[in-house]
Amino acid sequence: MRLRSVLLRWLLVPLITLWAIGFRIHYVRTLALANEAYDRTLLGSALAMAEQVSVRDGRLGVDMPDAALEMLESQAQDRIFYRVGCLDPPSAVNGYDDLPAPPPASGTVDGQPVFFDASYRGELVRMVALRRPLYDTPLCRQLLVQVGETLGARQALSRRVLLDAGSLQLTLVAMAALLITLGVHRGLLPLRRIRDEIRARGQGDLTPIRLEGVPREVAPLIEAINLHTDRKRRLNEAHRQFIADASHQLKTPLAVLKAQAAQALVQQDVRAMRGIVQEIHDSTDATSRMVHQLLALARSDPAATATQDLVEPVDLVDLARAVCFDLLTPALARGIELGFDGETPATTPGQPLLLRELVANLVDNAIRYTPAGGEVAVTVRRDNAGHACIEVLDNGPGIAPTEREAVFERFHRLHGSGADGCGLGLAIVRQIAERHGAQIELGDPPEGHGLRVSVRFPR
Ligand SMILES: Nc1ncnc2c1ncn2[C@@H]1O[C@H](COP(=O)(O)OP(=O)(O)O)[C@@H](O)[C@H]1O
Ligand SMILES: [Mg+2]
C-alpha cells in the first residue's frame, strides 16, 4: 500500500466523478432552457400563421407570402414544415398534407399549444399544434395549425454546449488534479526526509530519529519507532555487556583449571593426585556457580527480555520459604542457624523465577559471609504503609556504610570475602528488584553487628 496512491485515489476519483455528474446536470439543464426558447419561436410561427388565415374567393387560405416562410426557414437554418387544416368539418387548407397529427392523448384545447416530437420524411421533427376557433365564416369552425422544424439548430447547440463548457470544465478539473497531485507530493515531503535520514545512517547507528519538522500526525509513529530502536539499543548493550563479562570472568577460572589439570597429570603419587583432583572439583563448582550467576544476570536484564515478560501473582511467603528450605543444607554445613518467619500473607505481581533468584542471592550471601555459629533470619511481612517486604538479617561482619552502594556493582567484592564468589550476586539482586519496581536497602541490624537487607515491593 502506498500512501501516495491511496491519497490520490481518494482525492482524484471523487473529484472526477463529481465533475462528471455536475457536467451532466449542467448539460441537461442548458439544453432544456435552449429547447424552451426554440419552442417559443416555433409557437410564434404557429400563432403568426393562425393570424393569416382568411376567406378568399369563397375558400379558406393562408395569407402568408412565400418569402415570409422562406425567411422563417433560413433564419432557423432548419427545414420548416407547416399545415393549416380545418377540424370541423375536416379539410385541408394549406401546407404539407401528410404532417403527423398530434398524439391523440394530448387533446388540444383552444389556445393551448401542444409540443411533440415526430418523425417526418425520415427526419426527426419538433412540432407544435395549435387549435383556433373561427367565428366569421361558415366554411370552418375550428382550425388546426401545425408547424414543425428539423432538429439541426438544437443539435448544433447541444454540441456547442458539450464542447465549450466541457472543454473549459475539463481544463479546470485537469488543473485541480495537478494541484492535488502537487499538494500530496508536498504533504508527503517530511516522510521522504525521514526516509532519507534513516537510509543515510551508519549500520550500528541506533540514535533516535529527530522529531523537528515532523508533522503532528506522524510524530507518534516516529516516537514508537524511537522507542523500539531504544529497546533494540539496550538489548545490544545488554548482549555486549554479557559477552564482555563472560569472557572476562571465564578466562581466569579456565586457566586455573587447566593449570590444575596439568599439575595432576604429572603426579606419580595417587594421593597427591587426589588432592589436586579435589581442587579441580572445587574450582569447577565455583566456575559453574559463576556461569549460573552470569546467566541469571543476563536473564534478569530488562532489556534482554522486555518482550517476554510473564508476570503473575507471586506468593512471597511461599517463595522465601522454599528458598530457605533449599539453602538449609549449606547453612547447616557452615554451622549457621537459618530461621524463617512468614506470618502475614504477601503477594506481588512478578516473575517467580527471577524473584527466587533475588531471595536466593541474599540468603546465600548471609550464609556465606556470616562466620560459623552465626544466625540468619528471613522474614516476609508487610510494613506500616502496606508494602510487602522481604528481609534478610544476619549477625556477620556486615557491610560498611561507605561500601553499601559499591557492592551492587558487577564484580565488586569486599576484601577477605573468600575465593568462591564473583561479585555478581548483588548486581543481580538490584537488577531484578528494579525490574519489579522494588527498593533495596542495606542497613544495620536492630542490635549488635551484621547486615540487614530489606526489599520493599510496590503496592
Ligand atoms: N550478608 C553479607 N555480609 C557481609 N558482606 C556481604 C554480605 N552480602 C554481600 N557482602 C559483600 O558484598 C560483596 C558482593 O556480594 P555479591 O554481589 O553477592 O558477590 P559475591 O557474593 O559473589 O562476592 C561480597 O563479596 C561481600 O563482600
Ligand atoms: Mg553473593
Side-chain angles (χ1 to χ4, degrees):
M1 181 198 71
R2 285 188 61 190
L3 196 55
R4 199 181 131 86
S5 16
V6 172
L7 280 175
L8 285 181
R9 239 197 334 265
W10 276 95
L11 290 170
L12 291 182
V13 172
L15 174 76
I16 290 171
T17 315
L18 284 179
W19 166 77
I21 294 171
F23 181 67
R24 165 103 195 126
I25 293 171
H26 170 78
Y27 176 69
V28 169
R29 285 225 181 125
T30 314
L31 277 195
L33 281 178
N35 269 333
E36 232 169 73
Y38 277 114
D39 282 354
R40 258 200 304 279
T41 319
L42 205 60
L43 178 62
S45 317
L47 285 171
M49 211 167 281
E51 290 301 313
Q52 302 303 320
V53 174
S54 61
V55 185
R56 221 190 304 150
D57 307 335
R59 281 186 61 218
L60 272 180
V62 182
D63 263 351
M64 193 112 167
D66 284 351
L69 277 174
E70 264 167 34
M71 210 177 74
L72 197 74
E73 211 163 307
S74 66
Q75 210 178 0
Q77 45 170 261
D78 269 310
R79 254 184 317 278
I80 301 279
F81 308 104
Y82 69 97
R83 175 178 184 273
V84 181
C86 186
L87 282 176
D88 184 16
S91 67
V93 177
N94 204 342
Y96 301 77
D97 246 357
D98 52 348
L99 266 193
S106 61
T108 43
V109 184
D110 277 351
Q112 288 285 20
V114 172
F115 293 95
F116 60 100
D117 295 310
S119 162
Y120 182 59
R121 294 186 181 173
E123 277 185 280
L124 277 179
V125 187
R126 178 73 173 166
M127 267 208 271
V128 63
L130 191 66
R131 272 202 319 180
R132 262 296 154 85
L134 282 185
Y135 303 110
D136 46 359
T137 169
L139 288 176
C140 180
R141 275 185 294 278
Q142 189 139 61
L143 269 182
L144 177 68
V145 180
Q146 266 177 271
V147 181
E149 66 181 355
T150 49
L151 300 182
R154 293 170 197 248
Q155 279 163 354
L157 181 84
S158 80
R159 265 197 303 275
R160 244 185 56 203
V161 171
L162 206 61
L163 284 180
D164 278 12
S167 60
L168 174 70
Q169 292 194 14
L170 207 60
T171 317
L172 287 179
V173 165
M175 277 164 69
L178 192 75
L179 289 178
I180 285 176
T181 314
L182 276 178
V184 166
H185 177 80
R186 178 79 193 61
L188 294 180
L189 270 186
L191 294 186
R192 250 166 233 265
R193 177 185 67 71
I194 295 167
R195 181 197 66 187
D196 293 344
E197 197 183 308
I198 294 175
R199 268 193 194 161
R201 283 177 168 221
Q203 223 169 14
D205 186 355
L206 289 176
T207 50
I209 301 166
R210 285 182 304 123
L211 274 170
E212 302 101 71
V214 169
R216 224 181 295 162
E217 292 82 350
V218 183
L221 180 70
I222 301 295
E223 275 161 9
I225 294 175
N226 280 345
L227 200 74
H228 179 72
T229 38
D230 188 50
R231 248 186 238 149
K232 178 96 184 128
R233 195 178 49 71
R234 292 218 312 264
L235 184 65
N236 285 356
E237 176 57 28
H239 284 162
R240 205 192 53 72
Q241 182 73 54
F242 175 74
I243 291 168
D245 289 351
S247 52
H248 173 257
Q249 281 312 110
L250 287 173
K251 257 187 244 154
T252 320
L254 285 178
V256 169
L257 271 174
K258 191 175 169 183
Q260 287 169 330
Q263 215 186 339
L265 279 177
V266 295
Q267 283 299 331
Q268 303 298 328
D269 176 26
V270 173
R271 289 223 330 220
M273 195 196 276
R274 263 182 167 275
I276 299 172
V277 172
Q278 182 60 50
E279 278 172 28
I280 294 181
H281 181 265
D282 295 348
S283 309
T284 315
D285 260 0
T287 312
S288 80
R289 200 171 93 83
M290 188 184 63
V291 169
H292 171 86
Q293 295 279 69
L294 273 172
L295 290 177
L297 193 63
R299 255 199 312 276
S300 65
D301 191 323
T305 46
T307 48
Q308 327 154 13
D309 273 1
L310 288 170
V311 174
E312 54 185 83
V314 181
D315 184 339
L316 294 176
V317 177
D318 271 2
L319 185 120
R321 188 187 291 120
V323 170
C324 288
F325 190 76
D326 284 351
L327 292 177
L328 212 51
T329 318
L332 282 177
R334 296 186 52 94
I336 305 283
E337 192 185 313
L338 177 58
F340 174 73
D341 176 15
E343 301 281 286
T344 22
T347 309
T348 190
Q351 289 170 279
L353 284 179
L354 293 183
L355 288 175
R356 210 185 154 99
E357 192 76 39
L358 180 153
V359 180
N361 266 294
L362 293 180
V363 179
D364 176 77
N365 276 353
I367 295 172
R368 199 176 287 272
Y369 301 117
T370 303
E375 286 172 24
V376 173
V378 179
T379 315
V380 180
R381 60 184 178 87
R382 281 189 177 279
D383 71 2
N384 300 337
H387 294 273
C389 287
I390 298 181
E391 216 170 73
V392 181
L393 191 72
D394 67 54
N395 58 0
I399 298 178
T402 47
E403 285 284 350
R404 284 180 188 166
E405 186 50 44
V407 284
F408 284 106
E409 259 143 48
R410 292 166 181 229
F411 309 119
H412 189 94
R413 308 195 69 212
L414 300 184
H415 278 299
S417 293
D420 55 347
C422 56
L424 285 176
L426 288 178
I428 294 170
V429 166
R430 178 163 70 179
Q431 201 162 283
I432 296 175
E434 264 173 18
R435 204 172 164 156
H436 288 82
Q439 280 173 342
I440 323 171
E441 210 179 85
L442 299 189
D444 297 315
E447 58 198 44
H449 54 85
L451 185 71
R452 184 173 75 164
V453 188
S454 66
V455 185
R456 207 161 67 116
F457 289 89
R459 269 185 300 191

